[in-house]
Amino acid sequence: PKMAKTVMPGDVVATMQESRSKRMFGCGISQDGENLVAIRAGQLRTVGENQSKTGIEMRMWIDSNTKRYVPVDEDLVIGIVVDKRTEDYRLDVRGPSYGVLSALSFEGATKRNKPKLEIGSLVYCRVSNSYRDAESELSCLSLTYKKGWMTGQAVFGELEGGHMIETSIGYARSLLLPENVVVNCLGRHLAYEIAVGCNGRIWIKSDSVAKTILIANAIRNAEFLDPSRTESMIEQLIKHLQG
């Protein structure tokens, strides 16, 4: 991504003409005539096509340290199943209202062969349609990766086992950036799986409870540390784990 730029409410971040290709603008940005303007203070982030799994050429959003999540189209989120019905599930996505996930919105799902989610299940999905005053539509269908839900290799779907933590929205989004220090540093020391939701939820899984707890603690601790201190903190945690 490009270098983050600090913006204030009212700042023009792009024009509609610039964004008419496959560009999505996310949280903190609103349309004002032919301009896209910031509606909150924070860091302007952009991610190009080669760094995105959504098939969108470029995404723009504003990072700010908030715990309130507002769904935006194509956000990746971690939802908790709170209600299951014949045709769909309702998920708590940490927003002002629940999200709705169709039982057939999984790669390769049919009426006879589809995932069976239970109340409390964690699901990694994307926001396919967001609405200001209604429940958002969620999907476990990827625009680019077409592995079936039964293969265990699909991008989206139920997150089984592991451990989930919650952080601020801006910090969670920063973990999705390719150069993120804590994610990369942990990967050099430990093998683990991670799913990061733009709604401030992070799911972690490794081959032991002790390692999973270490990873969760490292991610929490790194929110307010600079890169060098983050690496030192992780190295100390690894030494403690190894005894």
Side-chain angles (χ1 to χ4, degrees):
K2 295 179 180 178
M3 185 73 69
K5 172 187 173 185
T6 301
V7 294
M8 299 297 289
D11 287 355
V12 176
V13 298
T15 66
M16 288 302 295
Q17 187 172 1
E18 291 172 341
S19 67
R20 285 201 175 104
S21 61
K22 291 184 182 176
R23 179 182 291 198
M24 292 287 298
F25 56 94
C27 64
I29 299 174
S30 182
Q31 182 181 349
D32 181 15
E34 283 299 304
N35 293 326
L36 299 178
V37 299
I39 56 174
R40 67 171 64 154
Q43 300 290 309
L44 177 65
R45 301 280 188 182
T46 59
V47 176
E49 180 182 28
N50 62 330
Q51 296 156 348
S52 172
K53 291 186 177 180
T54 63
I56 305 298
E57 285 183 4
M58 180 174 283
R59 300 199 65 203
M60 301 177 64
W61 72 93
I62 294 174
D63 270 348
S64 58
N65 201 21
T66 176
K67 292 191 176 181
R68 180 175 178 267
Y69 174 66
V70 178
V72 174
D73 288 2
E74 300 308 329
D75 268 359
L76 311 182
V77 297
I78 295 176
I80 302 172
V81 177
V82 294
D83 186 22
K84 56 179 184 175
R85 301 176 286 200
T86 306
E87 302 294 332
D88 57 35
Y89 300 92
R90 296 176 82 207
L91 274 61
D92 168 13
V93 291
R94 210 182 176 196
S97 59
Y98 292 138
V100 177
L101 174 66
S102 167
L104 297 179
S105 286
F106 294 82
E107 214 66 62
T110 65
K111 287 190 175 181
R112 291 188 176 184
N113 182 22
K114 58 190 177 184
K116 291 179 173 59
L117 305 176
E118 300 298 329
I119 303 293
S121 293
L122 299 180
V123 184
Y124 195 43
C125 51
R126 65 182 180 86
V127 179
S128 53
N129 285 295
S130 59
Y131 303 102
R132 180 174 296 179
D133 301 313
E135 294 178 329
S136 296
E137 295 175 15
L138 308 173
S139 175
C140 285
L141 296 169
S142 171
L143 300 179
T144 50
Y145 293 79
K146 299 298 180 183
K147 294 284 186 180
W149 72 271
M150 292 186 68
T151 66
Q153 298 177 338
V155 174
F156 303 113
E158 183 177 7
L159 299 172
E160 301 184 66
H163 177 66
M164 186 189 77
I165 61 174
E166 293 190 345
T167 70
S168 67
I169 307 303
Y171 180 58
R173 288 179 183 274
S174 74
L175 297 176
L176 290 165
L177 299 175
E179 76 276 16
N180 182 269
V181 173
V182 65
V183 173
N184 291 329
C185 188
L186 284 168
R188 290 196 293 270
H189 294 281
L190 300 168
Y192 70 101
E193 296 176 60
I194 186 170
V196 178
C198 294
N199 57 339
R201 288 184 176 146
I202 300 151
W203 174 86
I204 307 139
K205 186 177 183 181
S206 71
D207 60 7
S208 77
V209 173
K211 289 179 183 176
T212 299
I213 292 171
L214 181 152
I215 294 163
N217 287 338
I219 290 172
R220 280 199 188 99
N221 294 345
E223 180 168 6
F224 303 106
L225 298 179
D226 61 34
S228 61
R229 292 182 66 190
T230 295
E231 292 182 359
S232 298
M233 176 266 296
I234 290 172
E235 287 169 5
Q236 289 176 354
L237 289 173
I238 296 293
K239 285 180 183 176
H240 182 73
L241 178 70
Q242 295 170 343

